[in-house]
Amino acid sequence: MLRRLLQPVWVLLAIIFLIEAWLWDHLEPIVARVVAIIPLARFKQWLSDRVDALSPAMTLIVFAVPVIPLFPLKLVGLWLLTHEYWTSAVFTILFAKLLGVGVTAFVFDVTRDKLMEMGWFERLYALVMKLRAKAAELVDPIKRRIREIIKGNGEGWSSRTLRLIQRFRKSVHEAR
């Protein structure tokens, strides 16, 4: 019984985790292009040289530090939310999120080898990759079903879904 009640929570957590992974995968190449366009390649090489000289523990600090300046930006987003500047708040929070993931992907790319020298970090990384695969496994049937519903001509749709669509259409027509 409890497992059945917790299933939607696990699916939601898996979706959030996969969104983060998707952002990471798609922002990393964008950051790489920005690095190629802006003279950040020299900065990346400079940072890589400095990281090579550091111990793995100090490299962990280098990996964690770029997130700190983004925290005030998220606080600004929350302040905007509390003062009902919805659009500005959403854009600020999304910008902070995208920038944070992009910067983290950039720094992780530079520090990955050193971080993997720490056994606990390597195990944590392997665990995160396993969780990512498990989340994808959990969400894939739902994604497949949604795609079938979107592409389908109504066959296989549940009567409940069709009633919801009919009720929605009726409310739209009544509102006119």
Side-chain angles (χ1 to χ4, degrees), residues 46-151:
W46 176 84
L47 184 61
S48 180
D49 293 342
R50 297 302 166 265
V51 166
D52 288 342
L54 294 174
S55 69
M58 291 302 291
T59 304
L60 183 63
I61 293 172
V62 170
F63 175 63
V65 164
V67 177
I68 295 169
L70 295 172
F71 185 70
L73 190 58
K74 292 178 181 180
L75 288 178
V76 168
L78 289 175
W79 182 87
L80 289 168
L81 271 178
T82 60
H83 289 82
E84 298 180 6
Y85 295 108
W86 307 112
T87 307
S88 299
V90 167
F91 283 122
T92 303
I93 291 170
L94 282 176
F95 175 72
K97 183 67 179 168
L98 293 175
L99 185 64
V101 171
V103 168
T104 303
F106 173 78
V107 174
F108 185 69
D109 187 41
V110 172
T111 59
R112 177 184 292 138
D113 295 335
K114 271 289 193 178
L115 291 172
M116 292 299 178
E117 290 179 13
M118 294 185 286
W120 67 268
F121 190 88
E122 190 174 12
R123 287 188 301 276
L124 179 66
Y125 182 77
L127 175 67
V128 169
M129 292 297 111
K130 284 180 187 175
L131 287 174
R132 183 177 178 177
K134 183 74 173 165
E137 179 184 314
L138 182 65
V139 173
D140 279 344
I142 297 167
K143 286 175 24 182
R144 201 170 26 256
R145 179 70 178 137
I146 290 171
R147 285 188 187 118
E148 289 171 4
I149 289 172
I150 291 172
K151 290 180 183 177

Side-chain angles (χ1 to χ4, degrees), residues 33-42:
R33 279 189 230 126
V34 169
V35 168
I37 294 170
I38 301 174
L40 287 178
R42 287 184 296 205

Side-chain angles (χ1 to χ4, degrees), residues 24-36:
W24 183 284
D25 291 343
H26 287 82
L27 285 176
E28 192 172 24
I30 292 170
V31 170
R33 279 189 230 126
V34 169
V35 168

